[in-house]
Amino acid sequence: MADEGLPVVARFEVRQRSYLAPDGTVLRPLPDFASDIPKLLALYRGMVLTRAFDLKAVSLQRTGRLGTYAVSLGQEAVAVGIASAMRQEDVLLPSYRDNGTLLWRGTKMEEILLFWGGDERGNLSSGPAHDFPYCIPVGSQAPQAAGVAYAFKLRKEPRVAVCLFGDGATSKGDVWEAMNFAGVHKLPVVFVANNNQWAISVPLQLQTASQTLAQKAIAAGFTGEQVDGNDVIAVRAAAEEAIAQARAGGGPRLIEALTYRLSDHTTADDAARYRPPEEVQTRWKEEPIARLRAYLVSQKAWGKAQEEELAAECQKEIEAAIERYLASSPRAPETMFDHLYAELPRTYASQRAQLSGGSDA
Amino acid sequence: MPELTLIEAINLALARAMQEDANVVVLGEDVGINGGVFRATVGLQQRFGAERVIDTPLAELLISGLCVGMAAQGLKPVGEIQFMGFIYPCIDQLVNHASRLRNRTQGRLSCPMVLRTPHGGGIRAPEHHSESTEAMLAHIPGLRVVMPSSPERAYGLLLASIRDPDPVVFLEPTRIYRAAKGQVEDNGEALPLDIAFVLRQGHDVTLISWGAVVKETLAAAAELAGQGIEAEVIDLATLKPYDEETVLASVTKTGRCVIVHEAARTGGFGAEIAALIAERGLTSLLAPVARVTGYDTIMPLPRLEQRYIPSVPRIVAATRKACEFA
């Protein structure tokens, strides 16, 4: 150890926010918005819809009607808690697992299916036109989020960039470089690390020796906070506070949401190869939907009848979206040259013509 | 009209672009009060403020990622990478994001950014400061790659790059930053990004080049003229997408072609031009297409760099050989 006679020049702390225990009992006084039961019901509906949609997407993939798909099973509280705290004019920079966040912000289910079904038009989202599409190279959207936030600050617009990534992304320089710059310029950006404990097969303890991911913000000069990512009230409260602070010019924040990836990494993965099923079973006891349901039931705000009605409603909505997705036809081959540049350089006209004339076949 | 160096022309174009469009921002390492290590951004922060001329942390990936985010939000960022040897952390942003944002969102978002960087050797700089890896950038669909070889073209092409609605990598010939001088009028006129420049007319042989080595190519053409060989010299200027018609028209006329570039030979952009000529100009050829390039080795440290960079004698010899081929 260092000489104890030397002065301490800095001390830091990381706090953890949670309101509901896994069984739905209340741990501490709830934030104000939680007294608004319709609001909680909307969050509940968002999580249920996300899960039902995700599971349906997996079955589509299994039957050859969808490409590889990243399920967010068990992480629905992060999706809904974050998205519901954002405004339309804010900008979302999602990772490939943030299906529920996109749904909440207005992307249609058939658009998500279209993208993972192999068609760029899926990114013509009905959500806010300024939102970014799914980011697939892990963490690489983080410096972009800082760029978006810089534009807001330069133009003095009260808007916030919200960037979601996983625990694996925090090992990349991209995330650090972005947070570092956001700290220097006190940018209106909120970073959300969805710590689901696994980066495909690599567990958190092989990812980092850092006690928390939240503390990585401290080195960048701003607050990092942990929330129970299975507690949608906690996620929503943390997101509201961070977004409000960023919007008011108070600078960035990092939210580490503690979750668990109950599914395989994607439909192309088999998690049984690298993690014990007992671990997954244990973690199922903490999942976010049952937790909020238990609380709502305890408040007499929810019951079996409503549950069945909601499930049926979600199924209907999803089935209709799947029908629209499956009815869409592939785009014409030459359109792969569309939107390559604002205006297609004349050099590529002959290649485009090759595709449209079928002379390549 | 004032006579400016190439670096001064770049500075002039940056100032012009920032003056005419409040969305233009400049960012990079040491671009602020220091004016950039080559002084490309000198005076800009004083004139336009630290919010628009941003001294970034020492993080190249960040610079390129910031540009993507800013551009998607409607700013027109001009990022500076201090030397081309340091551009590689930006490749992820260029390949996976900048070049494809428009296409993958089907036009919903776009990426009007410019990434500037010095290109090539010959200034006795330390290791990693003298690279010329333009071919790997020119391989990326959705990107534009531009390289001026004179102050006039630096001014006009940089203005065009900044105004262009798509991402541009703007490679600046370090070796002639101050050696090249020319009349530059600050008239705000951009040059087209998809046109090669015919710098010298000739009917015996076509010499195609870009960047700093255009200087040696022109010198070789002058020497060859004394030997009775009239070379047409083309500055490709924009490598992606490049002006195939001007190349083919010239080769059709001369029947002989020598491509000169500083970058290593294998997989260099000269190979692309040679392939184009083989595909669409073969019947006009009177001699094999020749290449005068850097060697397939690591760019050597300064003691040997002049032996690496194509020299006037090498260009003259290769051209004479092409012309003597019967």
Side-chain angles (χ1 to χ4, degrees), chain A residues 62 198 200-201 260-266 268-277 280:
Chain A
R62 295 288 185 242
W198 290 91
I200 306 189
S201 67
Y260 188 82
R261 199 191 77 207
L262 291 170
S263 63
D264 295 336
H265 163 63
T266 65
D269 177 43
D270 174 12
R273 290 169 58 83
Y274 51 79
R275 73 179 181 186
V280 183

Side-chain angles (χ1 to χ4, degrees), chain B residues 299-318:
Chain B
M299 176 71 184
L301 296 184
R303 280 186 169 185
L304 285 181
E305 67 179 345
Q306 292 303 337
R307 296 299 303 274
Y308 178 91
I309 297 167
S311 62
V312 175
R314 276 174 69 197
I315 301 167
V316 167

Side-chain angles (χ1 to χ4, degrees), chain B residues 19-276:
Chain B
Q19 180 65 42
E20 70 185 17
D21 185 350
N23 285 317
V24 176
V25 296
V26 164
L27 63 155
E29 297 155 7
D30 307 297
V31 299
I33 187 141
N34 194 38
V37 293
F38 286 106
R39 310 289 175 256
T41 57
V42 79
L44 296 180
Q45 193 181 64
Q46 289 82 342
R47 190 166 158 199
F48 298 103
E51 286 199 325
R52 288 181 67 198
V53 182
I54 309 155
D55 272 325
T56 65
L58 208 166
E60 286 82 9
L61 186 165
L62 172 77
I63 294 167
S64 56
L66 287 173
C67 285
V68 174
M70 289 171 167
Q73 259 303 309
L75 293 183
K76 305 214 97 187
V78 183
E80 176 176 307
I81 301 300
Q82 215 155 63
F83 287 90
M84 193 159 190
F86 310 140
I87 204 173
Y88 309 115
C90 308
I91 298 295
D92 185 27
Q93 290 292 330
L94 290 174
V95 176
N96 285 324
H97 295 293
S99 63
R100 62 194 294 157
L101 191 59
R102 180 189 292 282
N103 189 260
R104 74 188 291 254
T105 62
Q106 294 290 288
R108 184 165 63 80
L109 295 175
S110 62
C111 196
M113 62 175 271
V114 176
L115 202 60
R116 300 175 36 247
T117 192
H119 168 279
I123 59 160
R124 305 194 62 75
E127 193 177 5
H128 305 297
H129 287 64
S130 303
E131 326 303 310
S132 43
T133 42
E134 68 272 18
M136 57 186 241
L137 298 167
H139 191 63
I140 304 171
L143 209 60
R144 289 183 190 274
V145 180
V146 178
M147 194 171 349
S149 68
S150 75
E152 303 91 312
R153 288 188 290 283
Y155 176 85
L157 292 173
L158 183 53
L159 275 182
S161 299
I162 296 170
R163 291 172 189 166
D164 191 81
D166 291 302
V168 179
V169 178
F170 194 83
L171 302 170
E172 300 170 359
T174 325
R175 188 155 55 90
I176 57 170
Y177 260 159
R178 291 188 173 76
K181 292 190 178 71
Q183 309 277 314
V184 180
E185 193 184 347
D186 187 15
N187 55 11
E189 278 178 27
L191 288 166
L193 288 180
D194 52 356
I195 297 289
F197 297 87
V198 180
L199 302 183
R200 189 184 192 282
Q201 302 275 347
H203 48 76
D204 294 324
V205 59
T206 302
L207 305 184
I208 302 170
S209 189
W210 51 89
V213 83
V214 166
K215 185 179 160 206
E216 282 74 25
T217 307
L218 282 169
E223 194 174 316
L224 287 159
Q227 301 168 19
I229 295 172
E230 289 302 329
E232 183 141 301
V233 176
I234 296 174
D235 173 10
L236 206 59
T238 298
L239 274 68
K240 178 85 171 185
Y242 76 106
D243 180 2
E244 298 178 353
E245 280 69 34
T246 296
V247 168
L248 289 170
S250 179
V251 174
T252 303
K253 179 172 76 176
T254 63
R256 300 171 205 269
C257 180
V258 179
I259 302 158
V260 185
H261 62 67
E262 185 171 321
R265 186 181 185 85
T266 302
F269 201 72
E272 170 58 36
I273 297 169
L276 171 81

Side-chain angles (χ1 to χ4, degrees), chain A residues 7-13 218:
Chain A
V8 174
V9 295
R11 285 186 204 276
F12 308 104
E13 57 188 22
I218 294 169

Side-chain angles (χ1 to χ4, degrees), chain A residues 287-307:
Chain A
E287 67 95 359
I289 295 181
R291 185 180 305 209
L292 183 60
R293 187 193 306 127
Y295 174 73
L296 290 169
V297 169
S298 78
Q299 298 301 300
K300 314 248 181 293
W302 196 250
K304 201 167 172 230
Q306 287 107 315
E307 185 69 27

